[in-house]
Amino acid sequence: MSCDETCSCNKRGIDYYGVLSLKKDCDDLEIKAAFRRLAIRYNPKRAKDECLCTIFALVAEAYDVLSDPLKRTIYDQFGEEGLKNGVPGAEGFIQPYTYHGEPMRTYREFFGTESPYADLLYVLTQSSSLLEFPEGRGIKRKEEPLIKTLYLTLLEVFLGGIKKMKIQRLVLVGDDKTKTVTKEKILTIPIKPGIPTGTRIVFPEEGDEGPTKIPADVIFITEDRPHETFRREGSDLHMTVDIFLREALTGTVVTVNTLDDRTLRIPLTSVITPDYKKHVPGQGLPLPESPKKRGSLVISFNIEYPVYLPVSNKNYIKRAFDTSADIKDTEYVHRLILANKMRRNVDFDVPIRRNTDDYEAK
């Protein structure tokens, strides 16, 4: 993976090569020598000027990028913007790079000391005793966990199942286990039906291997992808339906297409107010602790009002509300409804006669 000298991606953001005064075809030893020279000059313990401290932080970040083959390759092709925003790779999306923000840590890892008078040539020719370092005494450090977001659709949350993620990691090879090579590994991630958002799925010590470190844990944190119809609150599914004012007052039937391709027809008989919510039990997501049970479908309503009403229509509506305002006795309302039903049944049972006049005379 390389980039032409005229590529526009190299013209955006920080010029890490320029910071270290290097050419783009420099090798690893030249990068180390450049960092050693500049790091000693701008070490905060030696340079008290705040501006110089800023330069020191930039030098440390440039070294952190260019000394890592993968970061350097991404930077060469996509520039700082691609490096820090993440880029698509052959085996999946490569996560964004973020400098840890501790230039003295970079300095210390490089020189083995925070002394502003450290000498790289001395370190290379007169190596310190391994006993000076915890790793040299057989003490391995565990790397910080690698945290990745695992996006799930609501259908995947509803059904559950298995997701497979391919990762690349350094693996120790050889009889002495001192060299590392990059290998791919597929992690199998179980998805339980109704899995809550924010669930942490941990794969212990699946990070890069090294002779002096314990591999980091790889942690996936689940997050729901947005859905065009439903939104999730716990195990409940929420949706909003548009209805006309007439339907809000007189009733209607709402049709809902579910996540698992069923069609629900939900009758609305109550008067729908702006804050009314229709709860349909058992039509939400599976409960994580009991997948055979499900949460509710909760429907909110957006009532559309007419933009114009003729005076005659307004009078009809006013009379209807005036009539309903006079009826305050609940028992009377129930009797009225019952009488109305009985009247409809009687009318239905009367035989239809061809001679209307004869029927009316009777």
Side-chain angles (χ1 to χ4, degrees):
M1 190 185 296
S2 60
C3 191
D4 187 85
E5 291 290 337
T6 61
C7 179
S8 61
C9 66
N10 289 328
K11 299 178 182 179
R12 300 195 304 268
I14 301 173
D15 180 3
Y16 290 128
Y17 291 100
V19 169
L20 298 181
S21 300
L22 293 170
K23 295 182 179 179
K24 293 194 175 185
D25 59 352
C26 59
D27 58 28
D28 189 59
L29 187 58
E30 289 175 314
I31 294 172
K32 285 182 169 61
F35 175 69
R36 177 253 173 192
R37 181 181 67 256
L38 296 174
I40 291 178
R41 179 187 303 173
Y42 299 116
N43 186 306
K45 294 186 178 181
R46 188 171 184 175
K48 303 299 182 182
D49 190 307
E50 186 176 342
C51 293
L52 297 182
C53 292
T54 303
I55 296 175
F56 175 72
L58 191 57
V59 167
E61 181 178 337
Y63 172 74
D64 189 60
V65 172
L66 299 183
S67 63
D68 183 289
L70 177 60
K71 296 173 190 172
R72 181 178 177 180
T73 301
I74 296 173
Y75 173 74
D76 285 345
Q77 182 167 357
F78 298 98
E80 184 199 6
E81 181 179 354
L83 180 70
K84 293 186 176 179
N85 288 321
V87 295
E91 305 299 337
F93 188 76
I94 300 175
Q95 294 299 317
Y97 161 75
T98 303
Y99 182 54
H100 52 66
E102 300 178 35
M104 285 306 300
R105 170 179 159 187
T106 304
Y107 186 96
R108 185 171 57 253
E109 290 173 350
F110 183 85
F111 289 104
T113 177
E114 292 188 1
S115 169
Y117 306 104
D119 192 324
L120 174 64
L121 297 179
Y122 176 81
V123 172
L124 293 177
T125 57
Q126 304 290 332
S127 299
S128 302
S129 170
L130 286 176
L131 295 178
E132 294 181 16
F133 303 95
E135 295 82 356
R137 300 194 297 271
I139 302 174
K140 292 188 176 183
R141 296 179 304 166
K142 183 161 185 174
E143 297 291 291
E144 292 293 320
L146 301 173
I147 299 177
K148 301 178 180 292
T149 302
L150 179 64
Y151 291 100
L152 300 174
T153 65
L154 285 182
L155 181 60
E156 290 174 321
V157 174
F158 181 86
L159 298 175
I162 297 292
K163 286 188 75 73
K164 295 183 181 294
M165 299 290 287
K166 183 184 291 186
I167 63 171
Q168 292 184 334
R169 61 194 296 253
L170 296 176
V171 179
L172 289 169
V173 295
D175 295 336
D176 54 359
K177 297 292 183 182
T178 57
K179 294 183 179 180
T180 57
V181 296
T182 302
K183 289 190 176 181
E184 293 181 347
K185 182 172 183 177
I186 296 178
L187 300 180
T188 301
I189 307 173
I191 306 300
K192 296 181 179 180
I195 184 171
T197 185
T199 298
R200 295 167 66 92
I201 303 172
V202 182
F203 290 86
E205 299 182 9
E206 289 290 356
D208 293 337
E209 294 182 351
T212 61
K213 64 183 180 181
I214 300 173
D217 297 338
V218 177
I219 302 176
F220 292 95
I221 300 180
T222 62
E223 183 174 324
D224 296 339
R225 289 189 183 278
H227 191 274
E228 60 182 5
T229 302
F230 302 107
R231 63 186 182 279
R232 179 187 189 183
E233 291 186 16
S235 295
D236 293 338
L237 288 176
H238 289 246
M239 65 179 298
T240 300
V241 173
D242 294 330
I243 61 173
F244 294 109
L245 178 61
R246 171 177 56 82
E247 296 171 322
L249 296 175
T250 62
T252 186
V253 175
V254 173
T255 301
V256 178
N257 296 319
T258 65
L259 289 173
D260 53 341
D261 290 330
R262 291 178 298 113
T263 300
L264 301 179
R265 298 188 183 278
I266 303 169
L268 302 174
T269 56
S270 301
V271 174
I272 307 302
T273 59
D275 58 350
Y276 176 82
K277 295 182 185 296
K278 177 69 174 179
H279 289 255
V280 186
Q283 296 299 330
L285 295 173
L287 304 182
E289 65 278 7
S290 181
K292 292 185 178 180
K293 298 180 180 179
R294 291 166 57 182
S296 298
L297 171 63
V298 182
I299 306 176
S300 300
F301 299 92
N302 179 33
I303 302 174
E304 297 184 14
Y305 289 80
V307 295
Y308 170 75
L309 276 178
V311 175
S312 58
N313 288 11
K314 291 181 181 180
N315 290 334
Y316 283 128
I317 294 173
K318 185 175 183 301
R319 271 186 281 173
F321 278 112
D322 289 342
T323 302
S324 64
D326 294 336
I327 303 175
K328 298 179 181 179
D329 187 347
T330 305
E331 184 178 351
Y332 172 76
V333 173
H334 288 309
R335 287 203 306 269
L336 188 65
I337 294 173
L338 180 59
N340 187 47
K341 288 183 178 178
M342 291 176 65
R343 186 171 61 254
R344 287 202 304 268
N345 290 336
V346 170
D347 291 344
F348 180 77
D349 290 338
V350 171
I352 300 175
R353 298 178 183 272
R354 293 184 180 180
N355 191 331
T356 307
D357 294 335
D358 289 347
Y359 174 70
E360 288 178 354
K362 273 192 168 184

